[in-house]
Amino acid sequence: MADAVGSIDTPDAQDELPEAKKKGRKGGKRAKKGPLKRLALFYRQIVAELRKVVWPTRGQLTTYTTVVIVFVVVMIGLVTVIDYGLSHAAKYVFG
């Protein structure tokens, strides 16, 4: 049975590249710069990304903080009730 065109077993013509095209440049852009210039570029990119961040307003931050604190208190209460119930159940079962 013949394989279908483009199957894994038979590569297409565009998949086969001559040896000259398979070799890429050595180093690329990074090889041309020294370590200090690369470090400076890295920090400039960090600052540029931080400028894109949408920071919450004071009101949003207060709301988010309140929601998290309330959620944590509720979960502490839930775990406490479950722990108390299981400890009493264990005392009842095992004496």
Side-chain angles (χ1 to χ4, degrees):
M1 185 187 302
D3 289 332
V5 175
S7 71
I8 295 174
D9 296 331
T10 57
D12 294 334
Q14 68 262 18
D15 291 342
E16 296 176 5
L17 297 175
E19 290 297 321
K21 288 189 177 182
K22 286 185 181 179
K23 294 180 183 176
R25 291 187 299 166
K26 289 187 179 178
K29 292 181 180 179
R30 282 190 246 159
K32 296 178 183 176
K33 296 181 181 180
L36 291 178
K37 287 186 179 183
R38 288 188 300 190
L39 188 62
L41 174 65
F42 178 69
Y43 284 117
R44 280 196 306 269
Q45 289 173 344
I46 289 174
V47 170
E49 288 297 321
L50 285 175
R51 287 186 179 144
K52 295 178 188 178
V53 173
V54 178
W55 297 99
T57 63
R58 183 176 292 271
Q60 289 173 333
L61 193 60
T62 304
T63 303
Y64 298 156
T65 304
T66 305
V67 167
V68 168
I69 290 173
V70 167
F71 177 76
V72 168
V73 168
V74 167
M75 292 309 294
I76 288 172
L78 181 67
V79 169
T80 302
V81 168
I82 291 172
D83 184 48
Y84 183 74
L86 289 176
S87 68
H88 278 286
K91 284 180 186 175
Y92 178 76
V93 170
F94 298 111

